[in-house]
């Protein structure tokens, strides 16, 4: 867990009372107490990550912004797991070799690793470290990673970024299992089996993030509990999905719009609108 604090400071201007003709002045002191921000996704501490990293050659820059992360599902590069291991407080550290996502990186930045929003706790010119909580390990496929594994990487978007994919929060809803891979020309069909609780949010021609990759669902097979999608040749070379074998897990994040619609319908929102007419 990364911890960033806002520095306490005070401003003490001298203000004259304009309503009464006097030379008496009143001092007003505005104090801003230190506030500590926690990222609940991670539980590793910076001092523990030093056990897994060589001394950084870059000057650490703490980020104090409290803005939540948002991604588009357009993978920037594939990184390589360099090291992984448990921490003293029960967490799990990943050290990832990368290049593109390290450009302009700051401590506390959000990077999606196979679609999971994680926080940078340490970095050098060639790699960065993120921590995983027990809950993240339970809900995602990241527990299956090992040194040498490739992972999809994407930095959180900036306000000026193009939205090439769809709104991806980096909050993995669950995992699916690849049950079939079939080439067609230079494209690749992939079929994924998923629990019914998630399958109800998957619709033909709708969006879904698979290992953090924004993809369009082609068909949904309710009886099989599966959905499929197709990867064109270019995408196959840029993401890790084609490298996975049948039987391996993938992280899934369904389109958040579907969950909002379901919530509104179950809350009686539609009925209340009809009743107001």
């Amino acid at each position: 867990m990364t911890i960033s604090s806002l520095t306490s400071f005070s401003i003490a201007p001298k203000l004259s009372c304009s309503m009464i003709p006097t030379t008496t002045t009143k001092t007003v002191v505005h104090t801003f107490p230190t506030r500590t921000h926690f990222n609940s996704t991670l539980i590793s501490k910076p001092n523990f990550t030093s056990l897994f990293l060589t001394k950084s050659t870059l000057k650490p820059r703490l980020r104090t912004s409290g803005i939540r992360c948002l991604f588009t599902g357009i993978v920037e590069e594939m990184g390589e797991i360099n090291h992984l291991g448990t921490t003293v407080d029960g967490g799990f550290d990943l050290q990832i070799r990368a290049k593109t996502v390290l450009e302009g990186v700051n401590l506390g930045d959000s990077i999606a690793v196979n679609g999971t929003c994680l926080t940078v706790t340490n970095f050098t010119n060639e790699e960065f470290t993120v921590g995983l909580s027990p809950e993240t390990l339970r809900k995602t496929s990241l527990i299956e990673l090992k040194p040498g594994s490739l992972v999809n990487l994407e930095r959180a978007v900036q306000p000026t970024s193009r939205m090439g994919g769809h709104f991806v929060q980096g909050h993995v809803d669950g995992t699916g299992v690849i049950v079939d891979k079939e080439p067609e020309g230079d494209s690749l069909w992939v079929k994924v089996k998923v629990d019914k609780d998630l399958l109800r949010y998957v619709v033909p021609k709708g969006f879904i993030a698979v290992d953090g990759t924004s993809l369009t669902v082609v068909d949904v097979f309710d009886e099989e509990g599966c959905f499929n999608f197709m990867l064109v040749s270019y995408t196959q070379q840029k993401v890790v999905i084609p490298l996975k074998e049948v039987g391996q897990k993938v992280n899934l994040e369904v389109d958040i719009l579907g969950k909002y619609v379901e919530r509104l319908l179950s809350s009686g929102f539609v009925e209340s609108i009809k009743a107001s007419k």
Side-chain angles (χ1 to χ4, degrees):
M1 173 168 57
T2 58
I3 303 178
S4 58
S5 301
L6 296 180
T7 304
S8 299
F9 62 94
S10 62
I11 304 174
K14 291 186 177 181
L15 304 177
S16 298
C17 299
S18 58
M19 299 299 295
I20 303 175
T22 177
T23 57
T24 303
T25 60
K26 181 180 180 181
T27 301
V28 180
V29 179
H30 303 277
T31 303
F32 297 85
T34 299
R35 299 176 61 187
T36 303
H37 300 276
F38 294 91
N39 186 324
S40 60
T41 304
L42 307 176
I43 62 175
S44 59
K45 299 179 181 179
N47 60 321
F48 290 123
T49 58
S50 62
L51 298 175
F52 302 93
L53 275 175
T54 56
K55 186 175 180 181
S56 175
T57 57
L58 298 179
K59 182 179 179 180
R61 293 157 292 181
L62 289 174
R63 185 185 66 174
T64 57
S65 172
I67 299 175
R68 291 178 177 271
C69 56
L70 180 68
F71 305 92
T72 66
I74 304 300
V75 176
E76 295 188 273
E77 69 172 320
M78 287 188 287
E80 181 180 349
I81 300 300
N82 191 38
H83 180 83
L84 66 169
T86 56
T87 62
V88 176
D89 51 4
F92 201 81
D93 277 345
L94 285 179
Q95 186 188 77
I96 304 172
R97 186 175 297 277
K99 182 179 179 181
T100 301
V101 298
L102 290 177
E103 296 175 3
V105 69
N106 294 288
L107 292 178
D109 277 354
S110 296
I111 295 180
V113 180
N114 276 359
T116 309
C117 179
L118 300 174
T119 300
V120 176
T121 59
N122 209 335
F123 64 92
T124 69
N125 287 305
E126 299 179 343
E127 56 203 12
F128 67 96
T129 294
V130 293
L132 306 176
S133 69
E135 179 67 6
T136 302
L137 293 172
R138 284 190 293 266
K139 289 293 182 65
T140 70
S141 65
L142 299 182
I143 190 63
E144 297 182 344
L145 296 175
K146 56 186 178 181
S149 295
L150 298 179
V151 289
N152 293 329
L153 300 176
E154 180 190 356
R155 291 169 292 186
V157 299
Q158 296 178 332
T160 56
S161 300
R162 293 186 177 91
M163 282 294 296
H166 71 286
F167 291 114
V168 178
Q169 295 179 292
H171 303 161
V172 175
D173 293 303
T175 58
V177 177
I178 298 175
V179 294
D180 189 43
K181 293 168 61 180
E182 183 179 347
E184 181 178 342
D186 63 352
S187 296
L188 179 68
W189 284 100
V190 181
K191 181 183 283 188
V192 177
K193 187 174 180 61
V194 63
D195 290 340
K196 292 183 178 180
D197 288 343
L198 281 184
L199 191 62
R200 72 174 186 264
Y201 299 112
V202 184
V203 298
K205 306 303 181 288
F207 285 122
I208 191 167
V210 181
D211 276 346
T213 306
S214 177
L215 297 169
T216 301
V217 176
V218 178
D219 292 305
V220 177
F221 309 94
D222 290 312
E223 293 183 358
E224 301 178 44
C226 299
F227 69 91
N228 68 358
F229 54 88
M230 177 176 276
L231 300 175
V232 298
S233 177
Y234 176 84
T235 306
Q236 291 177 53
Q237 301 172 37
K238 301 297 181 180
V239 300
V240 301
I241 299 170
L243 303 177
K244 292 192 171 182
E245 303 293 337
V246 171
Q248 283 193 274
K249 292 182 179 180
V250 288
N251 291 326
L252 300 175
E253 181 184 334
V254 298
D255 192 345
I256 192 173
L257 296 179
K259 291 187 282 187
Y260 276 127
V261 170
E262 181 185 59
R263 177 67 173 171
L264 288 172
L265 292 175
S266 63
S267 67
F269 174 77
V270 176
E271 287 73 13
S272 64
I273 294 297
K274 292 180 178 178
S276 65
K277 292 183 178 180

